[in-house]
Amino acid sequence: MHRLRTCAARLRPLTAARTGRGTSIQRTPVPAAAPRTFRHIRCYTAPVAAEPFLNGTSSNYVEEMYYAWLEDPKSVHKSWDIFFRNANAGAPPGMAYQSPPPVGETLSGLSQVQTGTQPNVEKLVEDHLAVQSLIRTYQIRGHHVAQLDPLGIMDADLDSYVPTDIITSSDKLGLYGLDESDLDRVFRLPTTTYIGGSETALALREIIRRLEAAYCQHIGVEFMFINNQEQCQWIRQKFEKPGLMQFTLEEKRTLLARMIRSTRFEDFLQRKWSSEKRFGLEGCESLIPALKTIIDKSSQSGVESVIMGMPHRGRLNVLANVIRKELEQIFCQFDSKLEAADEGSGDVKYHLGMYHRRINRVTDRNITLSLMANPSHLEAVDPVVQGKTKAEQFYCSDTEGNRVMSILLHGDAAFAGQGVVYETFHLSDLPSYTTHGTVHVVVNNQIGFTTDPRMARSSPYPTDVARVVNAPIFHVNADDPEAVMYVCNVAAEWRATFHKDVVVDLVCYRRNGHNEMDEPMFTQPLMYKQIKKQKGVLQKYAEKLIAEGVVSRKEYEEDIATYDKICEDAHARSKDEKILHIKHWLDSPWPGFFTLDGQPKSMSCPSTGLSEELLRHIGSVASSVPVENFTIHGGLSRILKARCAMVESRSIDWALAEYMAFGSLLKEGIHVRLSGQDVERGTFSHRHHVLHDQNVDKKICIPMNYMCPKQAPYTVCNSSLSEYGVLGFELGFAMASPNALVLWEAQFGDFHNTAQCIIDQFICPGQAKWVRQNGIVLLLPHGLEGMGPEHSSARPERFLQMCNDDSDAFPKITEDFAVRQLYDCNWIVANCSTPANFFHVLRRQILLPFRKPLIIFTPKSLLRHPEARSSFDDMLPGTHFSRVIPEQGPAAQNPTGVKRVLFCTGKVYYEFTRERKNRNLDESVAIVRVEQLSPFPYDLMKAETDKYTQAELVWCQEEHKNQGYYDYIKPRFLTTVSSARPVRYVGRGPAAAPATGNKKAHLMELERLLETAFNLDSFKGQS
C-alpha cells in the first residue's frame, strides 16, 4: 500500500520545502565511544492487514489504475474511484475497499467510510515534502552533530548546540508536521538521496536511522554549499549508500601495518631522543595511512608525480613512511657531532624536503614523490607547492592534471589564521595558475601552540576558508582509521573526477605539547588530563581487528617487533654517518644541469648579444599583429608603428629591450613566464604583450608566440590581486626547471612587501638552507617621481641588507671574477639605466651555468624618456651586461681635470646629466653608473676610483639617506679605496616615509639634491 500512498508525491509539483524555525537546544553529551543514533521510547511494528485483492502479482496493475485515476477519476470504475479516495484519505488497511454499487445506485450511498474524511492529497504531499526537508537537513547540518572529537570533550564546530531540525528525539518530528505515529509510515525517497540503496521507499524510522549513519557518526560531510548538482549528487552517493564502508581483510591488514609504522616510528624517536625537538605526530598517527591512501588511489587514476607541502608536525614520519627516506639518513640528523659538508647554513631536520621515485606497491606503478622544504612560517609553502605542480604539469603537457597533482597538509590554527591560505585557494581555478585540484589534509589538533580554538578563529571550523571555492570538506574522527581511509579514498576520487580542490579534516589531538619539551598542562589542563587517559589509536584499532579475527595478537606483536628491528638496524647504521649532505635532501633536482657532484659545468658566461638579423626579426614581430582579421585599438596602432620606426632606426626603448630578450630566449627553446598584476598590458601601458580584438570579446593575440615555428611557448598572465600567494607560486614554478625564465612583476615595487615572507624565507636564503638554486626574476618598478610614499620605493635597502657579500674584505680579482662572484652570492641586485643593459641582464640570467634570483629595480618615467634608448650596436654578438657604465663624455678624456665623480644608479642618472649640461660642468664632473649593485663590482669600481685620483668621490641617490643604496655602498666603497679617500653623500635626508606626497615638496627636494651634487664647494671644509 505504501506505493499507493506515495504516488501523489511523485506527480504533484514540489513547490516549497518546509523548513523548521526556532531556537537551538543544548547538545546532549554522548560518550565518545558510542555512536549517536536516534532512539525512541516506544517501538511500533507495521500492521500486517492488507486489502483483500492486493498481492504481489496485482500491485503493478493497481498502480497503473491509480495513475489513471489521478489524471481523471472518471476514467476508472466507480469502485476504484471509491477505493482510491478512501486510501488517500487515510482509511485503515482493509477498509478502503467497498463492493461495487448496485445498478442505478449513486456513489454517495457507498462512501460511508469517508464520512468526515475528505480526500487529502495535499496532506500526503506535505508529509513527503517534510521528509524531503528532513533529509536535506541532515545533508546540510548533520556534520554539526557528528562524533568527530576523539577525546569526546569538544565539538569540532565550537558550538555546543544542536540545530533544532536535527531529530534527536521523537518530539522534534513536530517541527516537520509529523509525529511518532508517522515513524512506521513508508515514504517514497526523493532523487536527491541515496540512503535507500536499491529501495525506492523506506519507513520514516529507517530514513532517520540511515541519515544518522551517513552524516552523524565519525564522518561529517560539508558539501551542500556547492552550486553544482552533479557534484552534490556524487558526494551523496559516496556517503549515503548503505554498506559503503566495507573493507576486505587485505585492506584492513594493510591499514594496520601502516598504523604500526606510523606509531612505532614516533615511539622509537621518543625512546632514543626524548629531549630532542621533533614535532612528532602522536595523536594523529592516522595521517600516514591517510596520505598513503590518497597516493594509492591517485596512482590508480594515472597520477605519476605527487608534490607535497606540510608544516613541521609529523614531517619526519612522512619522510620515513610516505616518501620512504632512508631511516638512517633521518636518525643521523639527531647526532650533534654530525658535520655539514655542503655550502650554506643548512636547516633543522623538520624543515627539510625530499625527492624520491619509487614503485607504488598497491598499484605496481612508478610514482615520484616530492616533499618541499619549507620554513617555520606556517602555510608559506602552499603557493610554492602549487607553482611547482603547475610547472611539472606544463612541462609534461598535462593540461588536465591527470599525471601531476599536489597534496597540502595544514594545521588547524594556521589554516584558519594565515591569509596566504585564502590567496592560494583563489589561484586554484585561474587559467594560468590552476593545478586542477589539490587534496588538502588538515591535521586538526584542536589547539594552536597554546591557543584554544575558541580564541583562534571566528568560523565554526578551521576549514571554512575552503568553502569560497566550493571545495567539499570531509571531517573525520582520526581515531577511526577505517573512516579516515574511506574519506581519503573519496577525496582522491573527487580530485580525479572533477579536478577541483577537496579538504580532509582529520580531527585529532596532540599528545605532547607544541614540541616535546613543552608543557601543555599550563594552558590546557582539562584537555591534557583527558589525553593522558586516551588509549592510542593503534591499540584501539588492533584490538578491533583482533576481535574481528582479521589478525591474531601474535601476528600483531610480530609486526611490531619487525618494524622495531628495522628502526634499530637503521639506527646502528646511522652511527657510521659522519658528514651531513643537505643535497641528499633536495626536493627539486635538475638532472643534467650540473656535474654529478652538483657543481656548475663551467665558470664562464657567453656573450648575451644577438645578430642584427635576429634583432630585426624580433622587432618586426613586436610591431605587428600576426593574426588576420584582428582589430586593435587605434592608440595601440600608433605604439606599434613607433616600434617599427625604432627598429628601422636600429634603436630600442625599454619595452622593445624586454621583447628582444624574451623573444630570443623563446627561439632558443627557453620557456618564458611573466606573471603579476596587469603584466599583460603593463602597469604603465608600455608592454602590450596581449592584444585584444576591439570587436570580438575574449579574442586575443600574443605576438610573442608567433616568433618562429619551433620556439618555446610564452606565458604572460595577469595574476589575482595578490603578492604573497602569486610570488610564492612563481618561485615554485621556477624550481621545476633551470631552462625557463620565470619573472614576477610587482604593480609598483612598493607592494612587494606583502610578499616579504617569500622573499625573506625562500628567495634570499633558499640555497643556503636547502642547497636549492632558483633563477626567479623580480621586476620592481622604482623611482621617486612625486607619486607619494606608496608609489615610489621598492625598498632597495632591504634587498641589499640581505646580500651575503663581505663589505670589509676586498676580494681576490681573478680572470673569472665576475662570474665567480655571482656564483658565491645569494642573489643579484641590479638597477639598469639603459634598455640594452636590461636586455643583457635578462639573457644572462639563462646563459649563466647556475641559477641565482635576480632583483631588478625597473623604471617608470624611463619607459618613455627620449634619452633612454639603446642602439643595436649595444646588443650585437660579443656584447655583455655592463656591471658598471663609466663616464663616456669629455670628463673621461681628461680624468686629472675632473673635480668630482658622481656615482649613482638607475634613472637619477638622466637628471644628473641634464643638470650637468645646464651648468656646463661636462669636463669637471664625471658620472659613473653602478648597474649591478650586488654582488658589488669591486674590480670595476677600483678602476674608476683609480682613474680619477684628484676628484671627490660622491655617492648620489634620490632616496632618503636611511633608505636606498647608501648604507650598502659606503662600506664597500671605502674597502675599494682602502679607506684612503672619503666617500661623500648626496641625496635626501633621513626620513620615515619613502617619499613625500606633496608634488611641490618633491620638486624642492630634487632641486636641493641637484644643487648639492653640482656645487663643487658643497663639501668644502669637511674632513
Side-chain angles (χ1 to χ4, degrees):
M1 280 300 296
H2 70 264
R3 283 188 175 183
L4 302 181
R5 290 175 177 170
T6 57
C7 279
R10 291 194 295 182
L11 298 177
R12 287 297 180 104
L14 303 182
T15 53
R18 294 176 51 178
T19 56
R21 296 178 183 175
T23 57
S24 299
I25 61 170
Q26 187 71 29
R27 185 179 295 180
T28 305
V30 179
R36 194 187 71 80
T37 56
F38 171 54
R39 296 179 176 85
H40 305 284
I41 298 173
R42 297 190 313 183
C43 183
Y44 296 84
T45 57
V48 295
E51 299 296 347
F53 55 86
L54 284 183
N55 56 51
T57 58
S58 62
S59 59
N60 288 335
Y61 168 73
V62 174
E63 191 168 1
E64 289 177 7
M65 294 289 288
Y66 179 66
Y67 284 138
W69 175 79
L70 282 174
E71 292 179 8
D72 181 9
K74 295 180 180 179
S75 66
V76 299
H77 192 272
K78 290 181 181 179
S79 61
W80 282 113
D81 184 22
I82 295 169
F83 171 72
F84 290 138
R85 287 174 186 272
N86 291 342
N88 274 337
M95 298 296 294
Y97 171 73
Q98 293 187 38
S99 301
V103 177
E105 191 167 334
T106 62
L107 185 68
S108 57
L110 294 173
S111 56
Q112 298 304 312
V113 175
Q114 297 184 69
T115 302
T117 307
Q118 298 301 318
N120 200 352
V121 174
E122 287 78 6
K123 176 66 168 67
L124 188 65
V125 171
E126 282 186 9
D127 288 350
H128 273 79
L129 288 176
V131 171
Q132 287 191 31
S133 179
L134 184 149
I135 292 171
R136 183 174 174 82
T137 293
Y138 275 87
Q139 292 170 340
I140 295 174
R141 286 184 281 279
H143 57 86
H144 285 297
V145 292
Q147 299 302 294
L148 300 175
D149 180 18
L151 302 176
I153 58 174
M154 290 187 69
D155 296 301
D157 60 355
L158 305 185
D159 192 348
S160 59
Y161 291 89
V162 178
T164 56
D165 43 4
I166 294 289
I167 307 301
T168 52
S169 59
S170 56
D171 61 315
K172 299 286 285 294
L173 290 168
L175 187 69
Y176 297 94
L178 303 169
D179 55 35
E180 281 190 284
S181 64
D182 294 309
L183 285 171
D184 293 300
R185 282 181 61 194
V186 176
F187 292 87
R188 181 170 294 278
L189 298 172
T191 58
T192 53
T193 186
Y194 291 88
I195 58 173
S198 60
E199 301 172 86
T200 58
L202 291 173
L204 178 58
R205 185 191 309 280
E206 182 63 13
I207 289 173
I208 295 174
R209 189 194 69 78
R210 293 193 185 187
L211 290 171
E212 289 275 354
Y215 292 111
C216 304
Q217 301 304 315
H218 286 163
I219 298 173
V221 188
E222 282 188 275
F223 70 101
M224 289 293 283
F225 53 84
I226 296 174
N227 52 16
N228 182 293
Q229 184 185 19
E230 179 191 359
Q231 294 172 6
C232 287
Q233 287 289 77
W234 188 92
I235 293 172
R236 292 183 184 112
Q237 192 171 7
K238 292 297 178 182
F239 289 96
E240 291 184 353
K241 276 191 172 181
L244 281 173
M245 282 183 51
Q246 303 294 328
F247 299 98
T248 65
L249 293 180
E250 186 60 31
E251 287 173 332
K252 291 183 178 183
R253 286 174 176 271
T254 299
L255 179 54
L256 179 63
R258 290 172 172 178
M259 289 299 304
I260 288 173
R261 284 178 171 265
S262 174
T263 305
R264 299 303 291 181
F265 177 82
E266 298 294 352
D267 292 347
F268 184 82
L269 296 184
Q270 182 63 25
R271 289 197 306 274
K272 296 293 184 182
W273 299 283
S274 59
S275 59
E276 279 272 351
K277 282 185 184 180
R278 55 184 170 81
F279 296 95
L281 196 55
E282 291 95 335
C284 192
E285 292 89 346
S286 56
L287 173 66
I288 300 303
L291 292 177
K292 292 179 79 69
T293 298
I294 294 168
I295 293 168
D296 292 345
K297 191 70 173 180
S298 300
S299 177
Q300 288 175 2
S301 302
V303 169
E304 300 166 1
S305 178
V306 178
I307 299 160
M308 300 168 59
M310 69 176 296
H312 40 279
R313 183 163 316 284
R315 189 180 194 89
L316 297 181
N317 207 324
V318 170
L319 283 166
N321 290 313
V322 178
I323 310 294
R324 292 299 179 88
K325 178 72 175 173
E326 298 93 334
L327 292 179
E328 55 267 32
Q329 289 287 328
I330 296 175
F331 296 158
C332 73
Q333 291 273 336
F334 289 90
D335 187 352
S336 59
K337 297 177 182 178
L338 197 65
E339 297 180 10
D342 301 300
E343 74 274 12
S345 62
D347 203 350
V348 293
K349 50 189 168 288
Y350 39 80
H351 286 171
L352 299 177
M354 175 62 186
Y355 174 96
H356 185 48
R357 184 169 176 80
R358 63 176 175 83
I359 294 288
N360 181 284
R361 295 177 182 175
V362 173
T363 62
D364 201 31
R365 295 176 178 175
N366 275 318
I367 192 159
T368 299
L369 302 176
S370 177
L371 177 63
M372 303 295 287
N374 63 267
S376 286
H377 295 62
L378 297 173
E379 307 296 340
V381 79
D382 296 358
V384 181
V385 168
Q386 301 296 63
K388 185 170 187 287
T389 304
K390 182 66 175 179
E392 290 203 7
Q393 290 174 348
F394 175 84
Y395 292 127
C396 70
S397 302
D398 182 15
T399 57
E400 299 296 329
N402 293 320
R403 297 169 59 190
V404 182
M405 69 172 287
S406 57
I407 300 175
L408 286 176
L409 281 73
H410 314 268
D412 52 318
F415 200 58
Q418 293 293 315
V420 70
V421 175
Y422 185 86
E423 292 187 36
T424 305
F425 266 116
H426 270 286
L427 298 177
S428 65
D429 210 24
L430 301 182
S432 295
Y433 300 88
T434 179
T435 57
H436 307 285
T438 297
V439 180
H440 300 264
V441 180
V442 179
V443 177
N444 187 351
N445 297 310
Q446 306 182 85
I447 187 173
F449 203 152
T450 66
T451 304
D452 188 282
R454 289 166 291 192
M455 309 301 164
R457 66 177 188 263
S458 296
S459 60
Y461 295 102
T463 53
D464 286 333
V465 63
R467 294 166 67 105
V468 300
V469 293
N470 281 333
I473 303 164
F474 305 142
H475 308 279
V476 59
N477 187 321
D479 263 18
D480 185 345
E482 290 183 4
V484 170
M485 184 177 175
Y486 182 77
V487 158
C488 289
N489 266 315
V490 173
E493 195 174 341
W494 164 275
R495 193 263 171 195
T497 303
F498 297 107
H499 297 286
K500 307 281 284 186
D501 283 29
V502 58
V503 178
V504 175
D505 179 22
L506 295 178
V507 185
C508 56
Y509 58 93
R510 189 187 67 197
R511 189 168 287 278
N512 300 311
H514 176 66
N515 60 63
E516 285 68 28
M517 302 294 96
D518 196 47
E519 177 49 78
M521 290 288 285
F522 289 145
T523 51
Q524 276 76 30
L526 298 181
M527 172 184 270
Y528 275 85
K529 285 178 182 177
Q530 179 62 38
I531 288 173
K532 286 180 180 178
K533 302 175 188 174
Q534 188 81 358
K535 187 184 292 185
V537 60
L538 172 62
Q539 184 182 348
K540 289 197 287 189
Y541 189 57
E543 289 173 355
K544 175 179 180 291
L545 295 192
I546 291 169
E548 292 176 1
V550 175
V551 295
S552 65
R553 182 165 297 278
K554 181 181 178 183
E555 289 174 319
Y556 166 60
E557 292 171 351
E558 286 175 350
D559 288 344
I560 287 180
T562 299
Y563 186 70
D564 286 353
K565 186 176 187 305
I566 290 172
C567 291
E568 288 289 353
D569 292 346
H571 179 243
R573 291 194 300 273
S574 72
K575 295 178 180 178
D576 298 330
E577 298 283 344
K578 303 299 181 187
I579 299 176
L580 170 62
H581 293 279
I582 299 296
K583 67 184 65 166
H584 293 165
W585 298 75
L586 194 60
D587 57 19
S588 304
W590 293 339
F593 186 69
F594 299 109
T595 63
L596 292 178
D597 58 352
Q599 297 301 309
K601 292 181 177 179
S602 70
M603 199 53 72
S604 62
C605 181
S607 168
T608 47
L610 301 173
S611 68
E612 181 150 345
E613 180 186 7
L614 181 54
L615 291 174
R616 286 187 176 276
H617 173 68
I618 298 172
S620 68
V621 174
S623 56
S624 64
V625 182
V627 177
E628 294 182 358
N629 301 318
F630 195 95
T631 307
I632 62 173
H633 190 274
L636 188 53
S637 295
R638 292 190 293 273
I639 291 173
L640 297 186
K641 287 179 182 178
R643 285 183 184 174
C644 186
M646 274 192 288
V647 173
E648 289 300 317
S649 64
R650 301 183 70 252
S651 67
I652 61 166
D653 63 1
W654 219 271
L656 260 181
E658 184 181 72
Y659 225 107
M660 299 289 189
F662 290 179
S664 59
L665 291 173
L666 293 170
K667 185 178 183 298
E668 295 164 14
I670 301 298
H671 172 55
V672 178
R673 177 183 170 93
L674 173 62
S675 164
Q677 295 157 26
D678 312 296
V679 297
E680 294 179 5
R681 190 202 75 170
T683 300
F684 311 103
S685 195
H686 71 290
R687 182 172 287 124
H688 298 288
H689 283 189
V690 179
L691 311 181
H692 294 261
D693 192 297
Q694 297 297 296
N695 300 321
V696 183
D697 186 34
K698 299 179 183 179
K699 184 179 180 181
I700 63 171
C701 170
I702 303 175
M704 198 86 76
N705 279 324
Y706 295 83
M707 197 68 58
C708 57
K710 295 183 179 180
Q711 69 171 76
Y714 174 52
T715 302
V716 55
C717 45
N718 290 339
S719 74
S720 65
L721 199 67
S722 154
E723 287 83 28
Y724 191 167
V726 174
L727 179 55
F729 188 97
E730 301 308 329
L731 177 75
F733 199 102
M735 285 178 188
S737 171
N739 300 315
L741 182 66
V742 180
L743 309 95
W744 174 77
E745 182 176 69
Q747 191 181 68
F748 284 83
D750 313 63
F751 303 150
H752 82 263
N753 57 10
T754 59
Q756 201 68 47
C757 180
I758 298 295
I759 295 167
D760 288 356
Q761 310 311 132
F762 289 89
I763 300 177
C764 172
Q767 184 176 352
K769 292 195 294 186
W770 306 314
V771 198
R772 184 173 68 191
Q773 294 190 15
N774 195 296
I776 191 170
V777 179
L778 273 61
L779 303 177
L780 307 176
H782 171 83
L784 277 68
E785 297 172 353
M787 298 297 291
E790 274 75 53
H791 294 82
S792 298
S793 177
R795 294 289 190 177
E797 65 276 6
R798 293 181 177 168
F799 292 97
L800 293 171
Q801 181 195 26
M802 291 188 284
C803 295
N804 66 351
D805 58 333
D806 189 349
S807 63
D808 300 324
F810 191 86
K812 181 181 178 181
I813 307 300
T814 60
E815 186 178 347
D816 60 358
F817 172 74
V819 176
R820 189 163 292 281
Q821 198 183 27
L822 294 174
Y823 179 71
D824 291 335
C825 74
N826 62 318
W827 57 18
I828 304 164
V829 182
N831 190 351
C832 301
S833 62
T834 71
N837 231 17
F838 181 57
F839 159 85
H840 283 298
V841 78
L842 291 176
R843 282 185 50 78
R844 185 184 72 169
Q845 191 69 358
I846 289 297
L847 296 181
L848 284 169
F850 47 81
R851 295 289 174 262
K852 298 287 175 172
L854 172 61
I855 315 299
I856 309 181
F857 305 116
T858 54
K860 294 174 283 187
S861 60
L862 290 194
L863 297 174
R864 293 178 179 82
H865 197 293
E867 296 177 25
R869 298 285 188 272
S870 293
S871 167
F872 277 15
D873 293 335
D874 299 327
M875 306 162 67
L876 294 176
T879 56
H880 293 81
F881 172 70
S882 298
R883 293 176 291 145
V884 171
I885 301 179
E887 171 64 51
Q888 297 168 337
Q893 308 305 316
N894 183 23
T896 57
V898 173
K899 296 180 180 179
R900 177 174 291 179
V901 183
L902 303 181
F903 292 88
C904 65
T905 187
K907 69 100 175 174
V908 75
Y909 163 78
Y910 293 94
E911 289 161 341
F912 287 152
T913 56
R914 185 183 68 247
E915 187 69 15
R916 180 177 65 175
K917 184 177 182 180
N918 292 341
R919 294 179 181 239
N920 295 316
L921 293 174
D922 289 347
E923 295 183 358
S924 303
V925 177
I927 303 176
V928 177
R929 287 169 275 176
V930 183
E931 304 280 292
Q932 178 178 292
L933 295 154
S934 180
F936 190 71
Y938 284 100
D939 54 337
L940 300 181
M941 292 295 281
K942 181 170 175 55
E944 293 302 307
T945 56
D946 289 349
K947 183 190 298 184
Y948 303 101
T949 55
Q950 306 302 314
E952 286 182 307
L953 305 179
V954 181
W955 174 259
C956 300
Q957 64 179 40
E958 61 178 348
E959 295 84 4
H960 292 279
K961 189 174 184 179
N962 60 323
Q963 300 166 26
Y965 321 94
Y966 179 60
D967 287 338
Y968 174 85
I969 291 291
K970 182 178 179 180
R972 290 162 178 81
F973 224 141
L974 291 174
T975 298
T976 301
V977 299
S978 302
S979 300
R981 300 162 68 182
V983 178
R984 309 297 185 184
Y985 169 77
V986 170
R988 289 174 167 85
T996 178
N998 182 278
K999 188 73 173 180
K1000 183 177 180 181
H1002 165 76
L1003 295 173
M1004 289 177 63
E1005 291 172 354
L1006 179 59
E1007 187 178 332
R1008 284 197 300 267
L1009 185 158
L1010 294 173
E1011 170 63 25
T1012 306
F1014 289 98
N1015 181 352
L1016 301 182
D1017 294 328
S1018 56
F1019 298 110
K1020 186 173 287 187
Q1022 296 185 20
S1023 56

